Amino acid sequence: MWALTVAAVVERQGRFLVVEEPDKVTGLPVINQPAGHVEPGESVLDAVRREVREETGLAFTAEAIVGLYPLKAANGKDYFRVCFIGSVPEGADAVPEDPGILRCHWLTPAELAAAPLRSGWVLRCLQDALAGRRFPLDLVADIRLER
């Protein structure tokens, strides 16, 4: 069974908002987009707004879908990631509310490519966003995880 997840790509002046979090296996810091699991009864749009707020303290406005990404993780589980692109308020500082997030960063694509990543989908989502991939939000508007 797939675990449904969401992620957000946010760009500001050529830099992208990412979070630093401990790897679930090694405990070493890794970089990820603000991302997480969709909760029971929650829509994917509500989930991405919640995850960005929890992990960065910022309000996220989804503008489009970058892509849909299946992943078999190192832990053997199957995940299905819905990646959005959008914006956060200009000038607002990113400060995590979630104690599991070590810090927030604004990285260039080159810095992100050189960083230790949570998964290969972090870079793939960024590359797809930079390539201009955009799908309308109504593609997933009715997707809600059953309770």
Side-chain angles (χ1 to χ4, degrees):
M1 172 174 276
W2 295 95
L4 185 58
T5 66
V6 292
V9 173
V10 179
E11 184 267 337
R12 183 185 287 165
Q13 298 175 347
R15 295 182 171 272
F16 292 84
L17 179 61
V18 294
V19 296
E20 184 178 342
E21 59 191 0
D23 182 77
K24 301 230 188 296
V25 176
T26 67
L28 296 173
V30 292
I31 298 296
N32 196 7
Q33 277 107 7
H37 293 271
V38 179
E39 301 292 334
E42 188 175 46
S43 74
V44 293
L45 282 167
D46 287 340
V48 73
R49 287 190 286 263
R50 175 185 53 76
E51 286 292 345
V52 173
R53 187 190 74 255
E54 289 175 357
E55 295 190 358
T56 72
L58 299 172
F60 177 71
T61 302
E63 296 164 2
I65 297 162
V66 173
L68 309 172
Y69 305 91
L71 170 70
K72 180 171 281 299
N75 64 10
K77 292 185 180 178
D78 291 316
Y79 295 93
F80 192 82
R81 176 185 256 210
V82 180
C83 184
F84 295 86
I85 191 164
S87 60
V88 295
E90 276 296 320
D93 290 329
V95 179
E97 296 174 2
D98 181 339
I101 301 299
L102 304 172
R103 39 191 113 18
C104 301
H105 303 280
W106 290 92
L107 300 180
T108 66
E111 290 168 332
L112 205 133
L117 302 178
R118 171 88 184 258
S119 81
W121 287 127
V122 176
L123 195 54
R124 174 70 189 274
C125 289
L126 175 67
Q127 291 167 337
D128 287 349
L130 289 170
R133 282 185 58 154
R134 304 288 187 276
F135 300 95
L137 292 175
D138 63 2
L139 181 69
V140 298
D142 296 329
I143 296 177
R144 180 177 302 276
L145 197 62
E146 295 298 318
R147 291 187 189 264

